Amino acid sequence: MSGIFTISLDFELHWGVFDKKDRNQRETCYRNTLNLVPRMLEAFAKYDVHVTWATVGSMFVNNESEWNAIKPKVEPEYEIEKYSAYDFARKNGLADGYRWAHFAPDMVAEILKYPGQELGTHTFSHYYCLEKQRNNDAFNADLMAAARASAPYNTPMLSLVFPRNQFNPEYLRTCTKNGILTVRSNPSDWFWSPVTNKGANLTRKIARTLDAYVKVSSHRTSYPLSSIKITEGEPLQLPASRFLRPWRDKYQFANGLRIRRLCAEMKEAAQKNEVYHLWWHPENFGDHPEQNMQSLKVLLEQYQKLKAKYGMQSWSMGEYAQHLIPERYQARLKQPVVLQNEAV
């Protein structure tokens, strides 16, 4: 089996940072992001790169009224209230004037027009799976709401990315119950181990940043396809290899260094016939769109070279299920998009 190049994107707009950043200050970034999505899709199509767009379910709807009709009846009720998207919406509203921050059904529909592009879920509310909360049924209710939001697009959610990379093994069977076949897990390095929002201390952040430019970890970023374990009742776990850090205007040398490091890691994965799983947020491109698109072009061209020389392939997250658990994959495609009704 040749090497495999996988990209998963955490598409979230303001749902990803409602507890951290001011909505008004991010308007230019979000508008740029929405303009960039079609350009990314064209680039992926040009280089035949398959991508999973793990999208916050709230973005599938058109407005606040639709959002209120689809949102789950059971909320997580986090001990830290500000982590709740529902609390944010009650306090700040989701008015049409802020549509660019919260809703993108036209972009969701656009993704589905392109071959090889998979629409995955990033939960309905950007749900935090490691934060203390009071309702044990809230995560299940959240995934059902995400499925309801996706129903008009007639596409099942096969893949999930945990918001803030808060991978929680206790939720894996709930994922399976909701038709999820693959999830993204974290790299094995200590500085990528799942933590709560408050657990991301300065030391971890520094180590993550440095490792994007110079070797900090003792682990290789690619891994054999055979290392992906198949567990009955749980989705496949696909470890991330590398986060594509955005272009920074103050760090010209570092900008080139991070791309060279990524290209070298991709080449090693292709030579060793291993998996290389790259991820980022489309919003990361919003502050410097042209420079970030140029970085993406370099990476996609590198993939093309590796495909020609080593036979490297490109798979979305869902395609791992198609190849590794084909019976479950085919059975899931035959099921309805919305698998269950939420209890009142």
Side-chain angles (χ1 to χ4, degrees):
M1 183 70 189
S2 59
I4 304 168
F5 180 47
T6 294
I7 292 177
S8 58
L9 302 178
D10 303 13
F11 192 19
E12 52 195 34
L13 295 178
H14 196 62
W15 297 106
V17 292
F18 64 83
D19 56 324
K20 288 188 172 185
K21 297 185 179 181
D22 180 82
R23 179 168 57 181
N24 293 303
Q25 293 179 358
R26 300 301 291 159
E27 180 174 0
T28 299
C29 175
Y30 298 150
R31 289 189 182 278
N32 283 343
T33 299
L34 293 171
N35 289 330
L36 282 172
V37 168
R39 293 177 59 187
M40 290 188 199
L41 290 167
E42 288 291 334
F44 295 143
K46 177 181 178 180
Y47 293 96
D48 192 25
V49 172
H50 296 192
V51 177
T52 294
W53 296 72
T55 305
V56 172
S58 293
M59 291 166 55
F60 287 43
V61 305
N62 285 286
N63 52 48
E64 186 171 16
S65 177
E66 287 188 15
W67 184 83
N68 281 315
I70 289 176
K71 71 177 183 179
K73 299 179 179 66
V74 180
E75 297 181 14
E77 295 186 11
Y78 297 110
E79 287 190 6
I80 299 177
E81 191 177 73
K82 72 173 185 176
Y83 293 156
S84 170
Y86 309 107
D87 181 67
F88 170 86
R90 282 188 287 269
K91 291 179 178 178
N92 299 278
L94 306 174
D96 288 346
Y98 288 105
R99 193 174 189 274
W100 45 265
H102 304 295
F103 307 121
D106 49 342
M107 290 298 101
V108 172
E110 191 71 12
I111 291 167
L112 293 173
K113 294 178 182 178
Y114 286 80
Q117 305 304 296
E118 176 194 16
L119 195 59
T121 184
H122 204 32
T123 74
F124 180 77
S125 64
H126 204 255
Y127 191 104
Y128 299 137
C129 293
L130 290 178
E131 304 299 339
K132 292 183 179 180
Q133 45 92 13
R134 299 179 180 88
N135 287 327
N136 293 331
D137 295 328
F139 182 64
N140 185 58
D142 181 280
L143 293 188
M144 284 191 283
R148 289 195 297 275
S150 73
Y153 302 88
N154 195 32
T155 183
M157 299 287 103
L158 305 180
S159 302
L160 176 143
V161 171
F162 289 94
R164 299 268 166 88
N165 292 303
Q166 289 191 4
F167 178 89
N168 188 337
E170 295 181 6
Y171 286 174
L172 292 178
R173 292 189 177 271
T174 302
C175 289
T176 297
K177 178 182 177 182
N178 285 274
I180 302 299
L181 300 181
T182 65
V183 298
R184 192 177 74 207
S185 57
N186 295 0
S188 56
D189 306 297
W190 64 267
F191 46 84
W192 279 111
S193 60
V195 293
T196 63
N197 283 310
K198 287 191 173 181
N201 58 42
L202 182 60
T203 301
R204 290 169 60 91
K205 292 177 181 177
I206 291 174
R208 289 182 181 184
T209 301
L210 283 176
D211 194 54
Y213 306 102
V214 296
K215 188 173 180 59
V216 173
S217 168
S218 59
H219 300 97
R220 289 191 300 107
T221 52
S222 58
Y223 50 90
L225 182 64
S226 60
S227 68
I228 299 173
K229 296 180 181 179
I230 300 174
T231 303
E232 187 64 32
E234 295 184 0
L236 301 174
Q237 299 178 33
L238 311 179
S241 297
R242 177 70 66 192
F243 169 57
L244 173 58
R245 292 190 170 272
W247 188 92
R248 302 292 187 187
D249 56 355
K250 295 182 180 179
Y251 307 107
Q252 297 296 330
F253 175 75
N255 286 326
L257 194 62
R258 73 194 164 97
I259 296 300
R260 287 193 292 273
R261 184 157 167 74
L262 287 167
C263 288
E265 290 175 341
M266 290 172 64
K267 182 177 180 179
E268 183 177 20
Q271 291 173 329
K272 294 180 179 295
N273 297 324
E274 292 186 338
V275 174
Y276 190 77
H277 186 170
L278 185 65
W279 73 278
W280 71 92
H281 309 85
E283 295 80 10
N284 295 143
F285 283 19
D287 290 326
H288 300 285
E290 298 310 319
Q291 294 90 338
N292 282 300
M293 286 301 295
Q294 180 59 35
S295 296
L296 178 60
K297 180 182 177 183
V298 172
L299 295 174
L300 298 184
E301 288 178 344
Q302 172 72 343
Y303 164 69
Q304 280 287 295
K305 294 174 184 176
L306 299 174
K307 179 181 179 181
K309 186 171 183 178
Y310 301 103
M312 197 175 206
Q313 302 178 51
S314 175
W315 289 4
S316 66
M317 289 177 61
E319 286 177 278
Y320 286 84
Q322 182 180 353
H323 288 87
L324 299 182
I325 47 174
E327 297 84 2
R328 285 164 60 181
Y329 176 82
Q330 291 298 329
R332 176 66 183 99
L333 293 185
K334 295 176 182 178
Q335 294 174 329
V337 172
V338 182
L339 298 180
Q340 53 187 322
N341 293 318
E342 185 179 355
V344 178

